Amino acid sequence: MRTIIRVVLAVLVIFAGFSSTFTANAMEGSVDANDMMSTVEVLSSYPRGHDNEEKELARQFIIDTFEQYGLTVTTQAFEAEHFNWDLAEKGEEPFTKYSATNIIGTISPNTAVKTNDILIIGAHYDSIRNIPAANDNASGVAVMLELVRLLHNVPTDTEIRFIAFDAEEDGLLGSMHYVDQLGADSDRVIGMLNFDMLAAKKEQNVKIYSADGEASFLSDLLKSNDNYKNIQVVEYNSGGTSDHAAFAPKLIPNLFFSHPAVHGEYHNENDTIEHVSPDMLVYAADAGQVIAREIMSDQTPSYQAISRPIFDHTVYPISSTIRIPHSSKKEIEEATGIRFSQVPSEDRNTKYQARVQMFNISEPLTLTATSQWGWLSSLTIDFQQTGISFEELGAILDKEFGKSVNERWHNIYGNSYRIEYDEQENIFTLYIEPYYDEVEEGYTLINGELVRMESSYGADQTRIFKKDGEIIKEEIPNKPSATLPVTDHAKQAWEKVKSQLSVKELTEISFIQIGSDGIGGDLTIGMQNNIDDDEATEVIVGEEDLQEGSEYGLYKTIKGVHLYLDYIDLTNPLGKSYTDKDMQANMTMARAMKAQLFPYELRKNYYGGIKRADFSMLIARLLFQKTDWEPDMMEPTPFEDTSDEYIVAINKLGIIEGKSDTLFAPNETITREEAAVILYNIYKYLDLKDISGDGNPLIYQDDSDISAWAKDSVYAMQLAEIMAGTEQGLFLPKNNYTLEQAIISMLKLYEKE
């Protein structure tokens, strides 16, 4: 952030001509992009790590802005703890305690009729030490402060609390502390809007998440506005979360405006204002004010009655062959058909329950799961309120699955069941877990043959612990094992896959993980190229502090290509790769993921026609991998139906045209002849080998059906072996081009010199 001597004026001058579509002095109710970009510039001039002195300047900047607009300002100091990676790698004490501060700016109700509601609008202002942190999270603070400007003089029947949270980067410490201190106000809070890391140009669009991927009255309010009627609320599945998650355990509805982390710009010195999109700031700020203004209106009643979830009393049947994945609430619901209801939690974990009937037990049972970071823990059933004894439950499980193995019962779909029994209290609980027994095994290849590794984790470990007051650092390399056998299911899975791999791929593989998440799991075959050890380092902390007897581990990923195989999906007839067609599809997706070409979220439509917007996304990924292409994200859109920056940029390159001068038709599918033209345009843009004189193409039997404007491209791509016809000698020019075909063509372009 920056030094508080009103550098704002200088910044405003810098950005006065930023874009002709935005005005420096926005009218009342209109979002001001220049103002937000100025805030990003100010804050990103201050490193805001836990021990950066400039963090205090950022703090004062936020306080000054709150006070400028007449908010009542309070601060909330608390003790936080930072984990130091450098010290950990040296084997020294890695935890540092420091003083942190949340900043709260309040607008009190001021209409004749007031509700008792509180709406919280938040963003964290801390960052990783010594970096600009323009997107993570000066962007979110800029949006929050813009909402202060937009809403400070709006009549309101609801209390609005704007909160700049500290210590988010150290584990949501600021927001969790705030929630812990809410007390009776917890019941008054009807919603929380969170703005964090939302404006990276490369991501194109702001996405809207909630802690569990569920819609709420907050998203319903946004959808009632014509500009946002098509929004979707999704889960944040990018390996992290943000401050909204701290509010979820208290049943507080939440929306999170953000996007996935951008490789190369996340938590490093490249997180600068040049990579921040004003358009995305505007979108998030306008969406926030749409929701807030509706809530603030004295024409709308209190939302407390509809803000808390309603328990679903439906009794859902559970068979012994049910597959419950290790996943998020939403994905578990999709896989099982069970609908979970959120219930009050006594701690910082979000708690869910459902009524179920299982194993021919006549009475309904309560299935409970908890979550803190989006993924559900083991599901449990407490048998204390039933008439079933510990011995009877064991007999029921024996009947369903046969005798237990290692005190666990396993079904064929990947789940295991175990009973936790406290004999002294005579309390027992049934746990249902993702597949457990030998779920993950690590292998490498020696002379083309599988060799079992000591660890199933593709990394070398450094074990750090304290003994007799001394910190001890023990190196544990993951190496071929002299004792662990190659299991039969590993052999079967490898036999199924190795013939599909090229000689080059076989030589690149450094580690193979063989496991399972049960039949029909998310990933059957995966490939990842691990180059940068530092980025792959992971820390597992055993205790909040390194006390005598506690320990943690540092893991350095083994360089090279890591291959993941789900042996149940590969070897069981019910699995996802039982047929040759399924195997080829999984291998193609794995190769495209290794090349960073394939957006994993598209996999569900793998055989369907590819949309023009999705094809543009694939093109952008290919250009990022093959060239130093930097799209101009400020280019105004010529289209009425999309403002997608990548579509606009790729259109400007002449690679993909609109359906007309003013319409792009992003959701229309692409025909095969249209795809041939686009692929040839990519081929020429990449300046690949000229194939114009490479022999005569094979003329397709339906040549007369190919449009004149596409014919040259169709045959050029045939000669270049980028796109082929069908086995019957047809090209089928008017048929849909599928996502599968697009991925195959993109891989061929990627591999071309």
Side-chain angles (χ1 to χ4, degrees):
M1 311 178 170
R2 84 153 184 228
T3 342
I4 282 314
I5 339 178
R6 289 305 108 177
V7 216
V8 183
L9 294 176
V11 176
L12 282 172
V13 172
I14 292 171
F15 285 97
F18 200 91
S19 169
S20 59
T21 56
F22 306 120
T23 58
N25 299 308
M27 296 171 57
E28 184 178 352
S30 64
V31 178
D32 188 342
N34 286 339
D35 198 40
M36 287 187 285
M37 290 298 287
S38 296
T39 298
V40 173
E41 176 73 6
V42 171
L43 293 178
S44 59
S45 69
Y46 303 140
R48 305 181 301 283
H50 77 285
D51 58 351
N52 286 124
E53 292 182 4
E54 298 93 337
K55 188 176 183 182
E56 181 58 40
L57 300 174
R59 214 173 261 153
Q60 191 60 49
F61 175 77
I62 295 168
I63 291 171
D64 286 351
T65 306
F66 282 173
E67 290 179 343
Q68 175 188 344
Y69 290 109
L71 276 61
T72 301
V73 181
T74 56
T75 57
Q76 187 181 62
F78 60 97
E79 186 177 73
E81 193 171 57
H82 173 74
F83 184 89
N84 188 307
W85 297 76
D86 294 334
L87 293 177
E89 290 185 346
K90 294 175 185 175
E92 300 176 15
E93 171 60 58
F95 291 98
T96 303
K97 295 187 185 299
Y98 65 96
S99 178
T101 305
N102 292 331
I103 308 164
I104 303 107
T106 302
I107 301 175
S108 298
N110 51 36
T111 53
V113 178
K114 302 174 179 62
T115 70
N116 202 33
D117 296 355
I118 299 172
L119 173 67
I120 291 175
I121 299 174
H124 78 88
Y125 68 95
D126 66 306
S127 71
I128 302 301
R129 74 188 306 265
N130 294 340
I131 67 169
N135 189 38
D136 184 17
N137 182 36
S139 68
V141 176
V143 170
M144 180 186 70
L145 295 182
E146 178 67 359
L147 287 171
V148 171
R149 184 188 71 79
L150 291 166
L151 302 173
H152 74 281
N153 58 3
V154 173
T156 178
D157 66 354
T158 300
E159 181 177 328
I160 311 297
R161 294 183 186 175
F162 295 92
I163 307 177
F165 293 109
D166 201 351
E168 188 269 356
E169 297 290 3
D170 284 318
L172 316 188
L173 301 183
S175 52
M176 289 197 295
H177 177 79
Y178 181 81
V179 170
D180 288 345
Q181 302 301 311
L182 266 174
D185 279 354
S186 177
D187 293 333
R188 295 176 55 205
V189 179
I190 57 165
M192 192 273 178
L193 305 180
N194 183 35
F195 299 91
D196 184 2
M197 194 175 70
L198 52 79
K201 290 178 179 178
K202 286 184 180 178
E203 267 299 317
Q204 309 176 51
N205 297 308
V206 180
K207 296 174 178 61
I208 302 176
Y209 306 95
S210 67
D212 59 5
E214 293 289 347
S216 65
F217 87 95
L218 295 173
S219 54
D220 290 343
L221 290 179
L222 188 55
K223 279 187 167 187
S224 65
N225 183 289
D226 286 344
N227 293 331
Y228 302 95
K229 61 184 178 183
N230 295 320
I231 64 152
Q232 287 188 319
V233 178
V234 294
E235 288 176 290
Y236 192 81
N237 289 327
S238 295
T241 187
S242 184
D243 289 312
H244 65 291
F247 291 80
K250 301 303 180 186
L251 307 185
I252 294 171
N254 52 83
L255 289 183
F256 172 32
F257 295 82
S258 186
H259 55 63
V262 173
H263 180 71
E265 296 176 14
Y266 176 63
H267 283 185
N268 62 38
E269 66 280 357
N270 295 323
D271 187 1
T272 58
I273 193 168
E274 289 77 17
H275 299 124
V276 169
S277 164
D279 289 351
M280 295 167 76
L281 296 175
V282 168
Y283 180 92
D286 188 61
Q289 79 158 331
V290 165
I291 297 170
R293 284 178 180 273
E294 190 68 20
I295 289 172
M296 294 167 76
S297 170
D298 60 1
Q299 301 303 306
T300 56
S302 167
Y303 287 92
Q304 289 185 33
I306 63 170
S307 65
R308 299 308 189 251
I310 299 171
F311 193 89
D312 177 7
H313 290 279
T314 305
V315 178
Y316 297 93
I318 293 183
S319 70
S320 59
T321 56
I322 194 170
R323 178 187 174 272
I324 303 177
H326 175 58
S327 192
S328 64
K329 167 182 171 288
K330 202 165 190 177
E331 290 185 341
I332 288 177
E333 289 181 337
E334 289 175 358
T336 64
I338 299 170
R339 178 74 179 172
F340 285 90
S341 300
Q342 190 178 350
V343 295
S345 174
E346 301 77 35
D347 53 31
R348 289 175 170 177
N349 292 321
T350 309
K351 187 175 180 180
Y352 300 98
Q353 288 184 342
R355 298 287 284 163
V356 298
Q357 198 156 29
M358 62 190 304
F359 304 145
N360 296 318
I361 297 173
S362 58
E363 57 189 298
L365 306 168
T366 300
L367 186 64
T368 300
T370 58
S371 165
Q372 185 174 10
W373 303 105
W375 291 67
L376 293 190
S377 64
S378 299
L379 286 83
T380 62
I381 296 177
D382 185 345
F383 277 84
Q384 303 325 115
Q385 305 304 318
T386 71
I388 297 170
S389 68
F390 173 72
E391 292 75 19
E392 288 171 330
L393 180 58
I396 290 170
L397 294 171
D398 281 345
K399 182 179 179 182
E400 293 291 337
F401 305 109
K403 290 292 183 182
S404 68
V405 179
N406 297 327
E407 298 184 349
R408 281 176 165 81
W409 293 264
H410 304 291
N411 71 9
I412 64 166
Y413 284 85
N415 295 116
S416 63
Y417 301 75
R418 66 180 175 86
I419 307 173
E420 191 172 276
Y421 183 39
D422 183 333
E423 293 186 42
Q424 188 172 4
E425 299 291 333
N426 192 28
I427 295 173
F428 58 97
T429 303
L430 177 68
Y431 283 77
I432 308 175
E433 300 174 333
Y435 194 80
Y436 184 88
D437 188 33
E438 293 185 335
V439 120
E440 291 180 351
E441 301 160 0
Y443 292 88
T444 190
L445 294 176
I446 298 179
N447 298 323
E449 298 297 324
L450 279 184
V451 175
R452 185 85 175 265
M453 298 285 278
E454 292 285 357
S455 169
S456 64
Y457 194 54
D460 297 320
Q461 179 186 2
T462 301
R463 179 172 167 253
I464 301 174
F465 57 95
K466 185 180 285 186
K467 184 177 180 182
D468 299 329
E470 179 185 358
I471 292 180
I472 298 172
K473 187 176 181 180
E474 179 185 353
E475 304 289 344
I476 308 174
N478 190 5
K479 59 186 179 180
S481 172
T483 57
L484 291 173
V486 178
T487 59
D488 287 341
H489 58 248
K491 292 176 185 176
Q492 293 169 18
W494 176 239
E495 284 298 318
K496 190 84 182 286
V497 169
K498 72 176 181 180
S499 62
Q500 305 289 324
L501 296 164
S502 68
V503 173
K504 182 174 183 290
E505 286 172 330
L506 286 168
T507 59
E508 291 174 336
I509 292 171
S510 63
F511 187 79
I512 303 171
Q513 187 181 70
I514 296 180
S516 181
D517 59 1
I519 289 173
D522 285 338
L523 191 65
T524 299
I525 304 172
M527 277 198 281
Q528 181 177 348
N529 192 11
N530 293 298
I531 301 171
D532 191 334
D533 273 352
D534 292 333
E535 286 195 10
T537 299
E538 179 181 347
V539 174
I540 297 175
V541 181
E543 302 289 338
E544 288 192 8
D545 200 351
L546 192 63
Q547 304 292 338
E548 188 79 18
S550 66
E551 67 176 69
Y552 63 89
L554 291 177
Y555 292 82
K556 289 276 190 177
T557 302
I558 297 169
K559 289 186 179 181
V561 173
H562 289 208
L563 180 68
Y564 170 76
L565 305 178
D566 185 323
Y567 69 83
I568 292 183
D569 275 342
L570 285 166
T571 60
N572 192 295
L574 298 175
K576 278 195 170 182
S577 288
Y578 188 61
T579 67
D580 290 340
K581 181 181 178 183
D582 291 334
M583 170 64 78
Q584 290 168 8
N586 277 291
M587 286 302 306
T588 301
M589 283 191 275
R591 290 185 175 109
M593 280 186 273
K594 174 192 164 192
Q596 299 184 49
L597 298 177
F598 184 52
Y600 188 56
E601 63 270 20
L602 295 183
R603 72 192 187 281
K604 292 181 180 178
N605 193 38
Y606 189 69
Y607 297 112
I610 188 169
K611 296 178 182 178
R612 290 167 55 80
D614 292 338
F615 205 173
S616 300
M617 188 194 312
L618 297 184
I619 295 168
R621 284 175 174 252
L622 178 67
L623 296 185
F624 279 129
Q625 297 303 317
K626 293 281 285 185
T627 72
D628 57 359
W629 176 62
E630 281 288 341
D632 180 2
M633 292 304 185
M634 297 308 300
E635 187 73 23
T637 178
F639 304 116
E640 298 173 0
D641 55 355
T642 181
S643 59
D644 186 300
E645 291 96 335
Y646 287 156
I647 288 175
V648 173
I650 293 167
N651 169 257
K652 188 179 179 183
L653 296 178
I655 290 177
I656 185 167
E657 301 293 330
K659 297 296 282 188
S660 70
D661 290 341
T662 58
L663 296 176
F664 184 78
N667 294 317
E668 279 191 20
T669 52
I670 288 179
T671 65
R672 286 176 52 79
E673 63 181 4
E674 287 173 332
V677 172
I678 295 167
L679 291 169
Y680 193 30
N681 288 339
I682 300 171
Y683 196 94
K684 290 183 288 186
Y685 179 81
L686 294 176
D687 197 24
L688 299 175
K689 177 179 173 290
D690 181 21
I691 37 82
S692 58
D694 284 8
N696 296 316
L698 174 67
I699 303 301
Y700 294 112
Q701 292 181 28
D702 54 353
D703 178 82
S704 60
D705 294 336
I706 303 173
S707 300
W709 50 265
K711 196 162 288 190
D712 287 347
S713 297
V714 167
Y715 289 113
M717 291 298 89
Q718 181 203 104
L719 286 172
E721 298 182 339
I722 300 297
M723 184 178 182
T726 67
E727 293 178 357
Q728 295 79 28
L730 301 171
F731 184 73
L732 305 176
K734 306 300 189 288
N735 281 23
N736 277 341
Y737 195 52
T738 66
L739 173 62
E740 177 190 32
Q741 293 163 346
I743 291 291
I744 292 170
S745 294
M746 289 296 173
L747 276 170
K748 289 178 177 179
L749 285 167
Y750 175 79
E751 292 162 359
K752 285 277 185 184
E753 296 297 328

